[in-house]
């Protein structure tokens, strides 16, 4: 590991240790074994065991403490939500989402975010600074508005989606109930649904997922590029898509997937009983904790895509996330940004930055789409 990558990894670790220190301390302490049982909970770190849990083990998608359970409680209403439906309803919901997030759909959405990537980094040209978190929030809100045909202000929608996710997570954290947490979560969800205007819980869940993963992942990826000196790769049109996939693997926006077994089974050689809780550590399954991002020697899609889940419940937004990050890297690469200020968001649903300010770095500019900066 180079000194630059050590610096990048040290900064990125702060988002875990300052937002969810107890949880991530436990995960780090137990990762020596692929699967470890602690009472009625299984911690799954191994890549193959992680795949088994998502593809071969029946899962209770409405259980308390899971993503689906939290979503159903926070976003009450008819029709269920994307992450807790089963059978035909689940397949229909995912099919509709997949159509909007397929190759053609993503190309249409690029027309929405690419103008923002011209205006957003313009301050760097003038010697000013850019808050990448604010840029990511605007990108995420604009994409959600376009995807759901919503007339709300993109930044306001993004703030509402972030608040709904954060309130829901606070309401479901281990330990004694926090007074007013449930009511706060309900108010946040109601505000989000009011902005969306269609009353469809699926729309609200899509907004929550898209905004929170984007706002968590993009600034962390930019910080990695700045600290590890990866702007040369970001400027190379051939390397850039692979680098984007690598950065999404290492940042692992949803680093832990909480699930509950619906029936007995086996995961990684460890017996599982119906009702057991599983903490599926996507970050470790994808090797984010030990393998640095490198577009020249990527881990490859089978490993990198584990951060998006696996099997029939894999996140349908993987293509969107990769293409959008590649476009962000292309827009920023000419300026070789350096980080001037970074503050962890201690209240966010996912580990990330509350503020990540960058300015143009020293050195010869790199032209997007070329390898002109290779010797700089």
């Amino acid at each position: 590991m180079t000194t630059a990558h050590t610096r990048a990894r040290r900064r990125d670790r702060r988002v875990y240790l300052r937002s969810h220190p107890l949880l991530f301390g436990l995960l780090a302490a137990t990762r020596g074994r692929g699967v470890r049982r602690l009472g009625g909970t299984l911690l799954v770190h191994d890549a193959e065991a992680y795949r088994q849990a998502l593809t071969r083990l029946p899962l209770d998608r409405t259980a308390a403490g899971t993503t689906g359970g939290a979503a159903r409680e926070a976003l009450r209403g008819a029709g269920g939500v994307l992450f807790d439906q089963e059978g035909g309803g689940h397949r229909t919901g995912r099919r509709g989402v997949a159509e909007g997030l397929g190759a053609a759909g993503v190309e249409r959405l690029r027309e929405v975010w690419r103008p923002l990537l011209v205006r957003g980094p313009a301050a760097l040209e003038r010697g000013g600074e850019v808050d990448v978190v604010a840029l990511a929030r605007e990108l995420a809100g604009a994409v959600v508005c376009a995807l759901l045909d919503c007339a709300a202000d993109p930044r306001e929608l993004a703030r509402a989606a972030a608040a709904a996710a954060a309130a829901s997570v606070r309401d479901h954290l281990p330990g004694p109930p926090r007074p007013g947490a449930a009511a706060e979560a309900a108010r946040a969800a109601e505000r989000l649904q009011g902005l969306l205007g269609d009353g469809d819980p699926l729309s609200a869940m899509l907004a929550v997922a898209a905004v929170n993963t984007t706002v968590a992942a993009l600034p962390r990826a930019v910080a990695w590029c700045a600290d590890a000196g990866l702007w040369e790769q970001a400027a190379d049109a051939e390397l850039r898509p692979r680098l984007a996939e690598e950065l999404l693997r290492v940042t692992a926006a949803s680093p832990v997937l909480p699930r509950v077994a619906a029936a007995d089974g086996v995961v990684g050689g460890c017996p599982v009983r119906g009702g057991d809780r599983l903490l599926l550590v996507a970050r470790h399954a994808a090797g984010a904790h030990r393998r640095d991002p490198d577009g020249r020697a990527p881990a490859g899609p089978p490993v990198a895509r584990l951060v998006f889940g696996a099997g029939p419940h894999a996140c349908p937004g993987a293509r969107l996330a990769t293409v959008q990050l590649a476009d962000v890297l292309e827009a920023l690469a000419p300026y070789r940004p350096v980080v001037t200020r970074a503050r962890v968001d201690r209240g966010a649903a996912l580990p990330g930055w509350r503020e990540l300010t960058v300015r143009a770095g020293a050195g010869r500019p790199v032209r997007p789409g070329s390898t002109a900066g290779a010797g700089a």
Side-chain angles (χ1 to χ4, degrees):
M1 183 185 297
T2 66
T3 301
H5 277 90
T6 300
R7 181 170 59 248
R9 190 170 289 281
R10 185 180 299 119
R11 186 195 300 277
D12 194 61
R13 192 178 294 123
R14 285 167 52 194
V15 301
Y16 298 110
L17 298 180
R18 297 192 182 183
S19 59
H20 302 284
L22 295 179
L23 174 61
F24 287 99
L26 172 66
L27 297 182
T30 59
R31 70 188 180 202
R33 292 174 58 180
V35 181
R36 185 185 295 265
R37 176 179 286 278
L38 297 177
T41 299
L42 270 72
L43 286 80
V44 180
H45 303 272
D46 175 73
E48 185 53 37
Y50 174 92
R51 288 191 187 94
Q52 289 176 2
L54 289 173
T55 60
R56 301 181 189 174
L57 184 69
L59 299 174
D60 182 350
R61 302 189 65 78
T62 64
T66 65
T67 305
R72 177 177 286 279
E73 186 172 335
L75 303 172
R76 293 180 180 91
V81 295
L82 182 64
F83 297 101
D84 67 1
Q85 291 174 318
E86 292 290 355
H90 177 75
R91 289 190 294 272
T92 300
R94 288 185 64 87
R95 187 161 50 246
V97 172
E99 289 174 358
L101 297 177
V106 169
E107 285 304 309
R108 287 193 294 271
L109 291 172
R110 290 182 83 190
E111 298 177 5
V112 173
W113 77 60
R114 288 186 73 107
L116 301 178
L117 292 178
V118 174
R119 186 180 77 241
L124 299 177
E125 187 74 44
R126 302 189 298 269
E129 296 183 332
V130 170
D131 181 1
V132 184
V133 175
L135 176 61
R137 191 179 296 122
E138 185 175 14
L139 291 175
V143 165
V144 169
C145 286
L147 190 61
L148 300 178
D149 194 22
C150 172
D153 177 86
R155 286 166 289 195
E156 186 177 359
L157 180 64
R159 285 192 291 268
S168 179
V169 166
R170 285 194 293 270
D171 190 31
H172 289 81
L173 286 175
R178 189 170 65 86
E184 181 185 349
R187 287 193 298 271
E190 183 178 351
R191 171 165 172 71
L192 173 60
Q193 289 178 313
L195 287 171
L196 291 170
D198 62 4
D200 183 356
L202 175 57
S203 296
M205 197 61 221
L206 280 172
V208 167
V211 167
N212 285 277
T213 53
T214 299
V215 174
L218 288 187
R220 288 176 59 197
V222 170
W224 257 101
C225 270
D227 290 337
L230 297 175
W231 292 120
E232 177 186 323
Q233 292 190 31
D236 188 303
E238 182 178 350
L239 293 177
R240 191 183 307 122
R242 297 198 292 270
L243 177 62
E245 194 165 68
E246 279 286 277
L247 289 166
L248 291 172
R249 175 183 65 82
V250 170
T251 55
S254 297
V256 179
L257 307 181
R259 299 290 186 265
V260 171
D264 294 353
V266 177
V267 171
C270 182
V272 179
R273 299 183 295 270
D276 278 348
R277 293 175 57 81
L278 298 98
L279 292 182
L280 308 179
V281 189
R283 169 178 167 78
H284 294 165
H289 60 303
R290 63 174 179 266
R291 180 170 181 164
D292 294 328
D294 189 348
R296 295 189 175 93
V303 174
R305 292 297 175 93
L306 289 179
V307 296
F308 295 103
H313 299 298
C315 173
R319 180 194 297 271
L320 170 64
T322 306
V323 173
Q324 187 175 62
L325 176 55
D327 282 353
V328 170
L329 297 178
E330 180 182 11
L332 294 177
Y335 306 102
R336 294 194 173 186
V338 296
V339 177
T340 59
R341 181 174 172 80
R343 288 194 299 149
V344 173
D345 193 337
R346 297 172 185 265
L350 299 175
W353 299 107
R354 183 179 183 86
E355 178 185 5
L356 186 88
T357 304
V358 299
R359 61 170 172 78
R364 183 161 59 90
V366 182
R367 297 291 182 185
S370 76
T371 55

